[in-house]
Amino acid sequence: MEAELTALAASGATTLVGLMVTDAWSQARGRVARFFARGGEDEAAVDDELRRDGEELAAREDGPAAAEVERRWRDRLRQALRDDPGAAGELRGLLAELEPAGRAEGGVHVHNNVIGGTQYGPVVQGQNFSGLTFDMRGAVPPRREPGRD
């Protein structure tokens, strides 16, 4: 049972940190604070702590900060579940509702149509990139043969 609660706490922390840098965080934050309040914590204090962590992640956007925030909330969730194992069902339900759309169904499907234009280097699509470096030395566009477009 301990391993299951530990896994649930880890999943919960990962979901929280992922949500902290989204537009949905302000709404999700209150629900998470209420979850902790059911165990006796001060809802306003937890909400404030969650808000500060979200602001820190939005400002820093680096891996170590996210890892530290995730570790803290994993430990808090694990303690809440140890104190009240019955909270596991509520946490599972909360995470299912907060889970970003598409992830709960096994992934997000992306379909792109590129019309026109020619790309001779990397094309990157995503969100929250930092520290990317592309070495394009030696990148040569394909040879065009006469009469072919």
Side-chain angles (χ1 to χ4, degrees):
M1 184 66 161
E2 177 67 24
E4 182 181 332
L5 295 180
T6 299
L8 179 58
S11 173
T14 300
T15 299
L16 292 183
V17 169
L19 283 168
M20 285 180 180
V21 293
T22 68
D23 293 335
W25 179 235
S26 61
Q27 294 171 342
R29 190 179 73 224
R31 299 194 57 208
V32 173
R34 280 190 294 282
F35 169 80
F36 282 102
R38 78 183 289 286
E41 293 196 49
D42 179 354
E43 184 176 335
V46 174
D47 185 70
D48 191 50
E49 189 176 352
L50 289 163
R51 181 190 50 75
R52 282 193 316 266
D53 282 348
E55 289 171 355
E56 177 186 351
L57 291 181
R60 292 180 57 184
E61 292 187 16
D62 65 2
E68 175 59 24
V69 170
E70 185 173 333
R71 184 199 58 76
R72 281 197 318 263
W73 286 105
R74 182 181 58 241
D75 292 347
R76 294 274 299 270
L77 286 167
R78 187 180 312 136
Q79 188 60 50
L81 294 172
R82 280 186 188 137
D83 292 346
D84 180 10
E90 184 178 339
L91 180 58
R92 279 188 198 92
L94 178 61
L95 294 177
E97 292 174 25
L98 296 178
E99 188 76 22
R103 274 188 29 193
E105 290 125 22
V108 175
H109 300 282
V110 177
H111 178 79
N112 293 309
N113 288 323
V114 178
I115 301 171
T118 303
Q119 292 78 33
Y120 296 116
V123 176
V124 180
Q125 178 180 341
Q127 181 177 351
N128 297 332
F129 293 106
S130 67
L132 294 179
T133 303
F134 295 99
D135 183 359
M136 295 301 297
R137 289 176 287 175
V140 179
R143 257 183 76 166
R144 292 189 174 255
E145 296 190 27
R148 300 184 86 178
D149 285 336

